[in-house]
Amino acid sequence: MDKKEKVDSAAPQGGSLSKRVFHWLDRRAGVDKLMKESLDEPVPGGARFAYVFGSGLIFIFISQIITGLCLALYYVPSAETAHTSVAYIIKKVAAGDFLRSLHAYGSSAMIIVLALHFLQTFLYGSFKGRRELLWISGATLSLLVLGMGFTGYLLPWDQKAYFATAVGTNIVGEVPFVGEWLTRLLRGGDTIGTLTLSRFYVAHVFLIPGAIFAFIAIHIFLFRKAGAAGPINEDPIEPKLPPQGFYPRQVLMDMAFALLLMMGLGCLAYFHPFTLGPIANPADTHFLPRPEWYYLPMFEWLKFWEGPKVVFAVVVTPGLLAALFFLLPFLDRSLERRPWRRPIPVLAVAFVMLGIIFLGVRSRLDDEDDPSIAAQLALQAKQEKAYTEAPFHPYMESPGGTGPLALPIGPVSPLVSEGRGIFQGHGCSGCHGDVGLGTTMAPSLEGITKKFSQPQLIALLHNPNAAMRAGHMPSFDLSASDMNALLAYLGVIGTSEANVQATSGTAPQPSASGRAAAPATTTSAAPAEQPQAAASSQTSAAVAEGRQLFQQRSCFACHGPAGQGGVAPALAPLIAHLSDDQLAQLLQNPNAKMRAGGMPPLVGTPEQRNALIAYLRTLGAKQPQPQPRAANSTAPRGGSVPYPDMGPPAAASSAANVAAAAPPASMGASTPQSAAPVSATATAPSPGRAIFLSQGCSACHGPTAQGTRFAPSLIGIAKKYPGDKLPQLLRHPNSKMRDGGMPTPTVNDAQLKQLVAYLSSLQPATAAAPGARVRPSTQTAATSPQSAPAQSTVAQAPAQAAAARPAPLTPLELQGQKIFQSMSCANCHGVGGLHGTVAAPPLAGTASLLPASVLENLLRHHTIRMQEGGMPLTNLDPPDMKALIAYIRSMPSSSN
């Protein structure tokens, strides 16, 4: 008989196909021996339900691996696309919501089963009897499981994930000596962004799972080496109870527990899907971060420690507990396994476990006891639910995926353009976002015209329901034409048609000659009307200054960009019946109702107050009936100038001052004039001023060093610190300056001299001599050969102001403007970034002066001051970054 016949004779004769296949595999792979090694493990005292937690942990881990691989097929780990890819999974992928919910709930289930497994092992004393390495490997696995939960929490890149991770990485920074280095290692830099996301993704998908696989293998090997410890009354070294095989009873119990886990997770994932919140917005100062439930005790624990004592909360106490956790088999070395015979270890573990539970419950109760916190957390939960139920918005080259930036295809509807102007002018964009796709304050309006009929929508706008009023939604009393335009815009939200240029929808009124009256700054004044033009220019300068104050004090955040209403009512109807004195009194001393709404008192000079009142008077003013006058008349028309058309405030003021200082033509240019002294801020730019702007001094002291709410005025600073005192103070700021955030200027000695020279030139403007007429220093006698251009310049100051308006934006700058808007930069830097707010300085005249390379470096690597001010990370690809820088540099660069 040959070899082949011998092999064939060894095969079973007859039998089912499955037996023959099993025999074929067993002869070649030793399957039967492998199954006996795995399932015939002796268990002293037989099977117990108390032993199912270890197998349950392995089952959950395998489930996490499978669901995680399915999610990884669609996930893109970058700050621009992470949130959108998760939204695509839960909203578009078949069963994607179910898979993600299984994965999310599986992480919590793993923590719960791990805690039960630890308690069972401890109470049964199963770590005794030469099982120290087995316990240490299990303790290491528990830390790796917590690491999986921490690294996976950031991956959805929503509000909750971002801020919880920020808190977690900040806690790591409290470690002495290496804390800052560890924080930078985790984040990949100073801030949380794409590098942080990629590092967490690699750790969550590759590094930590690989380590878990390795330690599971070590743990099982050590478990098989030491053998099962058996019941609580068994000898841990030499078992006395008769053993039973792991198969079939213990296998069936483990399978029943796994089935129970699968059913529970499946029901949770199906009936209560895991939500996804709005995309991470680091600039949102209202969001309250809360970690996942298993990190809540640590979150609450840190509330009891402040200042240097935080080290004890972050390093000493957790380090001591971790050391005791790992060294438990070496501390409890007796062979006694019954817990009532081990009172000290059992009481110690009970104390720690009860403390953890107490801290977690107290954290919840603290949130519920504070009405403001409870309301904010309820609002955040509502926003999560609203975003999860909202339609999917694909990523369309928009930073962070906040909305499409595609331009409309085909002709632009004037009605939609007018509707967007109404949408922005009435402050709707402040809550619902620039293109109505929702923010953390209000939901998306996409599909709103399908959800409500036109009469229902009009009724809601006229009379908001209870939920809308609770969200501070004001009522709108619009004309029929404005309402139609607004509804037209609401109908295209979520499409490229919504990205039209906003228009005010008001056509120029015809003049008496039948032609449209030109704006005040487009033509030069006739000689007979120059005094009137000068007075009008002074009024325009006051209005421009008032508009700047309106932006700097963040009035638009409540009252809307043009004071037409937002979370606070429109201003025009409120102040129409008030005199200037009454209005000034209210601004300085708000009444009880205004204070309850969060209205702060106006702090400023009388000139600033008058300028603000002058601007408020223009809000909502209607166009007067045209009066007969020449076609080139420069008399200003009623109504406020639309904000996007307004030039830089300081430049407008300078032009107005030149026009006001020009003498009437009837007096003759040769009339002797006494030149009044002017402040240094009205002179030509100097190297020291450029340093003042480039060092960011204007962010706190104002673009002309006149002072802001952040820092005092520097006018006359040289008199207070004469000689070498001022350079010494700049090199070494005192404690009061440092407490206010004053940095040390990074300049060399030559630049410091230039800066000191500029600061020394800041002197208050003195009054002109009685009877003297003020005129600009640049004006010369008309009889001089060079006087004609100067006189023409003065006489045509309004025309110069019109010529000084920014040129139309290039396509690259337009793209940067859209990125600026979509990233909500205007919330801090003001509309268009021109004037700033109390939260952040203007970009015009400061950042716009910086070279492109320096500006990019600042946007990608924020200074400490920018971080402390809440400047969010700017994670943009090179084309978008180039466009944003082009837009910032297109802003007016001169404040003179």
Side-chain angles (χ1 to χ4, degrees), residues 482-557:
D482 286 350
M483 183 64 75
N484 290 335
L486 180 59
L487 293 179
Y489 178 69
L490 294 178
V492 300
I493 285 179
T495 68
S496 62
E497 296 180 40
N499 298 310
V500 297
Q501 187 69 28
T503 59
S504 61
T506 56
Q509 297 294 333
S511 66
S513 62
R515 292 177 296 178
T521 56
T522 56
T523 59
S524 60
E529 295 179 354
Q530 278 192 349
Q532 185 178 358
S536 300
S537 298
Q538 287 179 331
T539 303
S540 299
V543 171
E545 184 182 355
R547 183 184 289 107
Q548 181 179 356
L549 287 170
F550 187 83
Q551 298 295 327
Q552 288 178 339
R553 304 299 174 92
S554 293
C555 308
F556 71 91

Side-chain angles (χ1 to χ4, degrees), residues 422-431 472-476 550 555-574 619:
I422 296 170
F423 183 84
Q424 294 178 344
H426 283 72
C428 309
S429 58
C431 293
H472 305 290
M473 170 76 176
S475 59
F476 292 92
F550 187 83
C555 308
F556 71 91
C558 293
H559 294 286
Q564 295 177 346
V567 295
L571 290 172
L574 291 178
L619 299 178

Side-chain angles (χ1 to χ4, degrees), residues 578-813:
L578 298 176
S579 65
D580 287 356
D581 292 338
Q582 290 174 323
L583 184 54
Q585 182 66 23
L586 271 180
L587 289 173
Q588 291 176 319
N589 301 293
N591 58 35
K593 185 176 181 181
M594 296 162 68
R595 290 195 301 270
M599 171 73 178
L602 175 65
V603 180
T605 63
E607 291 77 12
Q608 290 176 323
R609 180 192 63 209
N610 294 336
L612 181 58
I613 292 174
Y615 170 64
L616 295 180
R617 291 300 184 192
T618 67
L619 299 178
K622 297 183 178 180
Q623 299 286 350
Q625 294 298 326
Q627 301 296 328
R629 72 175 60 248
N632 63 346
S633 172
T634 59
R637 295 166 54 222
S640 60
V641 180
Y643 184 87
D645 295 337
M646 189 185 71
S653 299
S654 297
N657 291 334
V658 171
S666 61
M667 295 189 62
S670 60
T671 304
Q673 306 288 339
S674 298
V678 294
S679 65
T681 56
T683 62
S686 65
R689 175 166 172 75
I691 296 172
F692 179 84
L693 295 174
S694 64
Q695 291 290 316
C697 309
S698 62
C700 290
H701 294 284
T704 56
Q706 78 279 11
T708 67
R709 295 176 67 181
F710 293 112
S713 171
L714 298 179
I715 306 298
I717 189 70
K719 291 184 177 180
K720 187 176 181 180
Y721 298 96
D724 294 335
K725 290 184 178 180
L726 185 55
Q728 183 70 15
L729 191 65
L730 291 174
R731 285 295 191 195
H732 306 286
N734 58 38
S735 58
K736 184 177 180 180
M737 296 161 67
R738 290 195 302 270
D739 293 342
M742 169 73 179
T744 302
T746 55
V747 294
N748 55 36
D749 292 339
Q751 291 172 326
L752 182 63
K753 290 182 180 179
Q754 293 173 339
L755 179 60
V756 171
Y758 169 68
L759 295 177
S760 300
S761 69
L762 299 175
Q763 301 297 332
T766 58
R773 298 184 182 275
V774 180
R775 64 186 177 96
S777 60
T778 56
Q779 186 180 1
T780 59
T783 57
S784 173
Q786 292 83 9
S787 64
Q791 184 180 4
S792 175
T793 300
V794 175
Q796 296 179 5
Q800 283 185 344
R805 291 184 181 181
L809 299 180
T810 65
L812 184 64
E813 292 166 354

Side-chain angles (χ1 to χ4, degrees), residues 794-832:
V794 175
Q796 296 179 5
Q800 283 185 344
R805 291 184 181 181
L809 299 180
T810 65
L812 184 64
E813 292 166 354
L814 280 173
Q815 181 186 355
Q817 183 185 46
K818 292 173 183 175
I819 295 173
F820 183 89
Q821 293 171 350
S822 64
M823 296 181 71
S824 300
C825 305
N827 290 349
C828 293
H829 294 285
V831 179

Side-chain angles (χ1 to χ4, degrees), residues 79-411:
E80 288 78 18
T81 54
H83 186 265
T84 307
S85 61
V86 176
Y88 179 77
I89 290 171
I90 66 174
K91 297 181 181 182
K92 290 293 184 181
V93 177
D97 191 17
F98 182 76
L99 281 174
R100 177 177 179 264
S101 298
L102 275 181
H103 193 77
Y105 286 124
S107 62
S108 295
M110 201 164 188
I111 299 294
I112 295 173
V113 177
L114 178 65
L116 293 175
H117 184 54
F118 159 73
L119 289 175
Q120 181 271 325
T121 303
F122 171 76
L123 292 176
Y124 272 56
S126 300
F127 57 88
K128 295 176 178 291
R130 305 189 187 105
R131 291 178 175 84
E132 296 89 352
L133 292 178
L134 178 63
W135 175 268
I136 291 174
S137 65
T140 306
L141 280 170
S142 65
L143 295 184
L144 291 174
V145 169
L146 290 175
M148 283 287 286
F150 180 68
T151 54
Y153 202 66
L154 177 65
L155 301 187
W157 199 250
D158 58 0
Q159 290 277 79
K160 181 170 63 176
Y162 179 91
F163 284 104
T165 304
V167 172
T169 52
N170 286 337
I171 291 174
V172 175
E174 298 294 336
V175 178
F177 307 113
V178 297
E180 184 177 353
W181 177 81
L182 288 175
T183 301
R184 290 179 60 87
L185 178 67
L186 287 173
R187 294 181 174 181
D190 293 326
T191 53
I192 298 176
T194 296
L195 289 178
T196 317
L197 200 57
S198 62
R199 293 188 180 203
F200 276 51
Y201 179 76
V202 170
H204 187 75
V205 175
F206 299 104
L207 300 182
I208 300 180
I212 289 178
F213 273 119
F215 274 93
I216 285 177
I218 294 173
H219 194 70
I220 293 177
F221 170 77
L222 293 174
F223 177 75
R224 298 301 299 270
K225 180 70 176 177
I232 201 171
N233 55 351
E234 180 62 284
D235 190 302
I237 298 178
E238 297 179 358
K240 303 294 192 299
L241 296 175
Q244 292 183 3
F246 183 74
Y247 178 84
R249 288 192 63 201
Q250 193 62 51
V251 171
L252 292 176
M253 290 181 181
D254 290 353
M255 290 179 63
F257 183 64
L259 181 63
L260 205 61
L261 287 174
M262 185 165 53
M263 291 175 59
L265 292 175
C267 289
L268 274 175
Y270 184 80
F271 293 106
H272 195 267
F274 211 76
T275 57
L276 176 67
I279 188 170
N281 178 19
D284 186 359
T285 59
H286 299 286
F287 191 87
L288 293 178
R290 291 295 181 268
E292 197 59 68
W293 65 269
Y294 41 85
Y295 282 118
L296 269 182
M298 185 64 178
F299 178 79
E300 182 69 17
W301 171 251
L302 293 174
K303 295 179 183 179
F304 296 97
W305 306 85
E306 295 180 357
K309 297 180 181 179
V310 172
V311 175
F312 291 93
V314 174
V315 180
V316 177
T317 304
L320 182 62
L321 289 177
L324 293 175
F325 181 50
F326 274 83
L327 297 177
L328 183 63
F330 301 97
L331 300 175
D332 187 8
R333 299 186 58 83
S334 69
L335 297 182
E336 178 59 58
R337 296 177 56 188
R338 289 169 292 184
W340 53 88
R341 295 292 183 91
R342 299 183 289 131
I344 295 178
V346 171
L347 289 176
V349 171
F351 177 78
V352 173
M353 294 301 297
L354 290 176
I356 291 174
I357 295 172
F358 168 76
L359 290 173
V361 173
R362 174 165 179 170
S363 179
R364 297 284 190 184
L365 294 178
D366 286 348
D367 290 342
E368 294 176 359
D369 291 341
D370 191 320
S372 60
I373 293 179
Q376 178 63 27
L377 292 176
L379 177 62
Q380 292 171 190
K382 183 179 179 181
Q383 290 166 351
E384 281 189 23
K385 183 178 179 182
Y387 182 84
T388 304
E389 297 174 352
F392 173 69
H393 299 297
Y395 176 75
M396 299 177 66
E397 298 301 327
S398 170
T402 55
L405 284 180
L407 293 176
I409 301 175

Side-chain angles (χ1 to χ4, degrees), residues 848-890:
S848 60
L849 293 173
L850 299 176
S853 58
V854 176
L855 189 54
E856 180 175 2
N857 185 63
L858 279 175
L859 289 173
R860 293 198 183 279
H861 309 286
H862 300 159
T863 64
I864 296 177
R865 186 176 182 184
M866 294 165 69
Q867 297 174 35
E868 292 175 349
M871 173 73 177
L873 187 67
T874 314
N875 287 312
L876 297 175
D877 54 26
D880 286 345
M881 179 64 75
K882 183 179 179 182
L884 180 59
I885 291 173
Y887 172 64
I888 295 175
R889 287 175 56 80
S890 73

